[in-house]
């Protein structure tokens, strides 16, 4: 059993803390957000993540997991301090490291025993060295035995606990082999490949992985656009490609493009790092351009179908950036809604989890309690996030209540033949013939 402090209780910190506690460690999770910590102390989750509430409750009950806003309480006797604070985009696309700096400085101020500082936040290449430097300078000559280990996180929102407990790999980077091995021991029971490398390489593995996944999605979205012109079906194309073991089936779903708190900021930050060091990241730029266009193309299709968007009522199903999360950071749905509202449309929407978050940033958006309420009197319906509960709707009922039966299935969730049989004018992404209707 190890004594672990996790700094930052967002999607990554809270999941990391709860999972390490579940593996038998003694974990204190710290956040500067008092409201968040008060909620956690009361057993209320500040985010929606399947299985998290139960995992937290079990481990709090077992006495292995506690929450605090006090750095001195959280760091007391800690052998490991995991930094899991946010690293949002700065003004030029660079990763903003102010929260990482605050965490590192607090460690420097309060720790007087040997400690391993583990960077779990996604940070630019070189940040591990910079964190060591921040701590050393802050100590101002007072000795401290510490090492920095990079331990990038690869979990996905919506399946975060499973991803943490059954990872494809754990990556550790450090200039101190002994420190990296101590962190490796925390993961041994997961029985997954553990790769130990140097600090900068570990940091780059994280960016390269996210950028590659985003590239796959932009690639299939570009293929989808070509499919539309040529009358092929991108879903079948992706299936046919994915059966090749060298390609594999994952991350080939064409749709509204990638959003979320990570791909957008990480691809941008990697491109920024490249430019700063004299490279021309042309592929990354194209990957971002295609992604931006993907949302606009949906609005263009709707405008063409309806003649104009001005004064039209558009229903949107799904607001979160992907299913099974309430996270709306860089959600494609939100950008589509902005574009529609800018063209004079009234937008109403339903999402199983993300409506409170969306209401806070989209004051004009009308929120509904069911998909059918969204469809009532609408001129078009857009499927923006493929939540399970949208898979099997009563489409006959939706057809009856819409003003004009136009459907834009921007996640290729539904069957074109079925939709056209019912009578919808049905559009999808990259699925050949784009018309229909009775
Ligand atoms: P988040 O915004 O959900 O949470 C960050 C938390 O850190 C917030 O609760 C904030 O109050 C807290 N915080 C900020 N400054 C602090 C400080 N000085 N001391 C203590 N707490 C502080 O962020 P997230 O989505 O969990 O992401 C965290 C990091 O992990 C980012 O670098 C991100 O790129 C990376 N990451 C995220 C995911 C994901 O799925 N969200 C997956 C892998 C990696
Ligand atoms: C992603 C990575 O998958 C994680 O490995 C990584 O740890 C994380 O970013 C991070 O660094 O934060 P996440 O953003 O939670 O995880 O979600 P994904 O499942 O990767 O989806 C990202 C976006 O791509 C979503 O908007 C999703 O709708 C879109 N997507 C995904 C597609 O459009 N097509 C696909 O085939 C897959």
């Amino acid at each position: 059993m190890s004594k672990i402090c996790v700094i930052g209780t967002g999607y990554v910190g809270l999941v990391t803390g709860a999972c390490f506690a579940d593996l038998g460690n003694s974990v204190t999770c710290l956040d500067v957000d008092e409201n968040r910590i008060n909620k956690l102390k009361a057993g209320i989750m500040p985010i929606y993540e399947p299985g998290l509430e139960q995992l937290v409750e079990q481990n709090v009950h077992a006495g292995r997991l506690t929450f605090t806003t006090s750095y001195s309480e959280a760091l007391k006797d800690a052998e490991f301090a995991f930094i899991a604070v946010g690293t949002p985009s700065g003004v030029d696309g660079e990763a903003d490291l102010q929260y990482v700096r605050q965490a590192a400085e607090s460690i420097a101020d309060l720790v007087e025993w040997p400690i391993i500082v583990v960077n779990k936040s996604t940070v630019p290449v070189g940040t591990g060295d910079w964190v060591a430097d921040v701590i050393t300078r802050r100590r101002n000559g007072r000795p401290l035995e510490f090492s920095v280990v990079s331990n990038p996180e690869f979990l996905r929102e919506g399946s975060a606990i499973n991803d943490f407990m059954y990872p494809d790999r754990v990556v550790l980077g450090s200039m101190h082999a002994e420190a990296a091995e101590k962190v490796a021991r925390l993961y041994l029971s997961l029985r997954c490949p553990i790769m130990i490398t140097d600090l900068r390489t570990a940091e780059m593995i994280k960016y390269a992985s996210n950028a590659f996944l985003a590239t796959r999605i932009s690639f299939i979205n570009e293929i989808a656009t070509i499919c539309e012109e040529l009358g092929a079906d991108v879903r079948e194309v992706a299936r046919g490609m994915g059966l090749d073991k060298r390609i594999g089936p994952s991350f080939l779903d064409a749709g509204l493009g990638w959003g979320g708190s990570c791909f957008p900021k990480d691809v941008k930050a990697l491109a920024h790092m490249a430019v700063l060091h004299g490279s021309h990241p042309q592929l990354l730029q194209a990957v971002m351009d295609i992604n931006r266009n993907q949302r606009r193309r949906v609005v263009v299709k709707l405008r063409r179908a309806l003649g104009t968007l001005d004064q039209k009522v558009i229903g949107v199903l799904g607001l979160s950036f992907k299913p099974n999360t309430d996270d709306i950071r860089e959600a494609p749905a939100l950008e589509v809604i902005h574009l529609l509202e800018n063209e004079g449309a009234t937008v109403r929407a339903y999402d199983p989890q993300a409506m409170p978050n969306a209401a806070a940033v989209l004051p004009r958006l009308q929120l509904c309690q069911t998909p059918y309420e969204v469809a009532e009197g609408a001129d078009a319906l857009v499927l923006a996030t493929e939540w399970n509960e949208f898979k099997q709707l009563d489409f006959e009922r939706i057809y009856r209540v819409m003003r004009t039966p136009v459907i834009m299935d921007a996640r290729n969730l539904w069957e074109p033949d079925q939709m056209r049989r019912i009578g919808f004018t049905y559009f999808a992404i990259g699925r050949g013939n784009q018309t229909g209707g009775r």
Side-chain angles (χ1 to χ4, degrees), residues 11 16 38 105 132 179 191 197 253 281 315 357 369 376 391 425 432:
Y11 289 87
T16 300
N38 285 340
E105 288 179 347
R191 297 173 187 277
T197 178
D253 289 332
N357 286 341
Q369 292 314 306
E376 186 85 43
K391 280 185 182 155
T425 302

Side-chain angles (χ1 to χ4, degrees), residues 7-13 30-33 36 71 84-87 99 102-103 120-122 153-157 206 261-262 265-266 329:
I7 302 173
T9 59
Y11 289 87
V12 169
L30 164 115
D31 207 288
V32 286
D33 182 339
R36 185 166 275 249
Y71 262 100
V85 298
T87 48
Y99 307 112
Q102 285 163 10
K120 203 165 234 328
S121 297
T122 303
E153 179 52 61
F154 299 100
L155 64 76
R156 289 160 300 174
E157 290 178 23
K206 174 66 194 172
S261 66
C262 292
K265 83 169 168 57
D266 292 347
R329 290 179 283 184

Side-chain angles (χ1 to χ4, degrees), residues 329-368:
R329 290 179 283 184
E330 303 263 350
L334 267 53
E335 203 180 327
V336 169
I337 292 169
H338 273 303
L339 293 170
L340 292 169
E341 288 184 339
N342 282 347
E343 297 206 26
T346 297
V347 184
R348 52 164 99 117
Y350 165 77
D351 185 285
Q353 292 294 336
M355 292 205 284
N357 286 341
V361 295
L362 290 168
R364 281 191 282 162
L365 181 66
Q366 297 174 3
L367 294 170
C368 301

